[in-house]
Amino acid sequence: MASTNQELARIFSEMAAALELTGANPFRAVSNNRVARELRDLTEDVGALVAEDPETAVARLTALPGIGKGSAQKIVEYVQTGGIDEHRKLMAKVPRGLFEVLEIPGIGPKAAKAMWEQLGIESVADLKARLDDPALAALPRMGKKTVENIRRAILFSEKTAARVPLGKALPLAIALRDELAALPGVRRLEYAGSLRRGCETIGDLDFVAACDDPEGVRRRFTEHPSVTQVLAHGDTKCSVRLESEGVAIQADLRLVPEAVYGAALLYFTGSKEHNVRLRERAIKRGLRLNEYGLFRGSEERPQEQGKKPLAAATEEEIYAALDLPWIPPELREDRGELDRPPPRLIEVGDVKAELHAHTTASDGRMSIAELAACARERGFHTVAVTDHSPSQVIANGLSPERLLDHLAAVRAANDEVRDVTILAGSEVDVLPDGRLDYDDELLRRLDLVVASPHAALRQSPAEATARLLKAIAHPRVHVIGHPTGRIVGRREGLAPDMAALFAAAAEHDVALEVNANWLRLDLRDVHVRGALDHGCKIAIDTDAHRPEHFDLLIYGVLTARRGGLEAASCINAWPAEKLHAWLAAKRDA
Ligand code: DGT
Ligand code: CA
Ligand code: CA
Ligand code: ZN
């Protein structure tokens, strides 16, 4: 919960590791780890607790099962002085890099200690350099096979230093899920975790399954062609590393009885913070919630006492027993989702228009007719041609003359088709000072203006705010495209005063885009929430340059769902008449 707790948890974990590496009494390491775990799960902020009254805080902390007087006093010391003396002393004894060595799967404290003391290995880089040294394999409990596993683990961690983007993780997980779900005897099987919540990046994949033949599913999972290493192969949990089409990611599979599938799915979907809220709510009702179900009473592990849960088979019945409606996974982030009825979130099937797409006139690969065919295939009533403006030189942006010709071509193509309306629009650059890249006379001739920032994405927040406010206030602008210009995990983009943008967009009746390309997801989830709180309209567009880009829609929809978007606030989900009337009103104003 509060970051002081997490920071302290990290410090106690570090002390535990350092104690092990220096060969201290093992019980001291164990007890520090227990404190770390307590702190991680604690819902009260220890910072506030200590600030209020240190003595009460010590009493409160020592009442917790894993925290003794000494540890409680260290917690107070940290809050009052910003550090813990013992931690500083321990850290001075152990090289920093050894903690990273400990992170490598398969290397425990004893092994790391031996590498350090006997071979002088102080970092992952040192270890990498010694992988072929027979002295490494000759260390106690090491051996050639372990060294090979370490080598693979190091290579893998280099590949997965970054989290995997949603757009790479989802297709992989869907393929694996569908393959496993088709095995005989599988009753329920779904991906859970951050992926089910639609997060923009994914740490690892989590699957939950209930089946009659667990061994068959376990085998297919651990022997899957994309598996490069099996990390765990137990009765109820298997972990593997997968590599497929340039994606490297860990995947966990949990096998549970069908009767508790809902409880397991709920638990492993998370988020952790949402789960904490649910458990608190259960406790207030004299109940206990864990991955085996919702139980009466307050015992630690009621399932081990042979107790029958009140609810466990489905998520719906667990929420219902907590007097809650089922909450869509995308909202399970402890952002107030328990305190208001969940909205009817937008779905891919609600989207009936693509309002940001490129043709061969600028940097797209589709003709106008091909673009229209893609829209028709998806049952859309409208598609907008929005090629780039002149400033986008590399993207072959259209000069005013070329734009006029292009508009005529789009209108001619529109006259040829019956079932889809092809709108003549433009993706106009918002120049660094907020002016648009075409003059007002030309903009007036367009059915739709998407105004997007592409260059000067490192300007100051104040400049970015002024720039985007100016574009929003322009009377011809319908949509602000990818408002910040960020690229997930690679480019931060603009950092304008978002609340000011939302207020202005609501005032000027300008829609803000969720660009569905998984590299962008811009607006991001929390921005969507902020925009909706201000009464803004949202557009979800794929920014298609090729036919297959229409399939990116799901990522924009997931992001918008995380922000709480309902179909009514999404202009792409409006009926044709409503959308066309809204667009025309700006042009005719
Ligand atoms: P990721 O993998 O980093 O993208 O994020 P998640 O949310 O998938 O996290 P992960 O894979 O560590 O765990 C999956 C879910 O399992 C998580 O969202 C909630 C649940 N979970 C895991 N560990 C804990 C825990 O220590 N406490 C609680 N309450 N829930 C946990
Ligand atoms: Ca995960
Ligand atoms: Ca996991
Ligand atoms: Zn574009």
Side-chain angles (χ1 to χ4, degrees), residues 79-95:
V79 175
Q80 290 178 339
T81 68
I84 295 174
D85 197 42
E86 191 195 355
H87 175 247
R88 269 189 294 265
K89 285 185 180 136
L90 278 168
M91 293 306 282
K93 287 189 200 160
V94 181

Side-chain angles (χ1 to χ4, degrees), residues 50 54-55 57-58 61 71-81:
V50 173
E55 273 191 48
V58 169
L61 287 166
S71 301
Q73 276 160 352
K74 281 175 206 153
I75 292 170
V76 171
E77 182 193 348
Y78 175 83
V79 175
Q80 290 178 339
T81 68

Side-chain angles (χ1 to χ4, degrees), residues 282-303:
I283 288 166
K284 283 204 192 101
R285 286 165 168 70
L287 306 172
R288 184 153 198 121
L289 177 65
N290 63 26
E291 63 266 50
Y292 301 96
L294 181 66
F295 297 84
R296 243 186 275 280
S298 58
E299 284 155 82
E300 276 286 342
R301 288 178 190 77
Q303 71 279 1

Side-chain angles (χ1 to χ4, degrees), residues 43-77:
T43 51
E44 299 163 76
D45 178 6
V46 290
L49 214 59
V50 173
E52 211 175 291
D53 175 24
E55 273 191 48
T56 321
V58 169
R60 168 85 185 85
L61 287 166
T62 48
L64 295 169
I67 301 187
K69 188 117 198 252
S71 301
Q73 276 160 352
K74 281 175 206 153
I75 292 170
V76 171
E77 182 193 348

Side-chain angles (χ1 to χ4, degrees), residues 259-264 266-267 275 277-299 302-303 307-324:
V260 306
Y261 177 78
L266 180 63
Y267 182 86
N275 289 351
R277 289 277 170 230
L278 290 182
R279 282 205 298 273
E280 286 171 357
R281 193 176 173 102
I283 288 166
K284 283 204 192 101
R285 286 165 168 70
L287 306 172
R288 184 153 198 121
L289 177 65
N290 63 26
E291 63 266 50
Y292 301 96
L294 181 66
F295 297 84
R296 243 186 275 280
S298 58
E299 284 155 82
Q303 71 279 1
K307 273 206 171 186
K308 284 264 169 294
L310 288 176
T314 67
E315 288 186 338
E316 284 81 355
E317 66 188 57
I318 296 168
Y319 280 112
L322 292 169
D323 302 315
L324 289 167

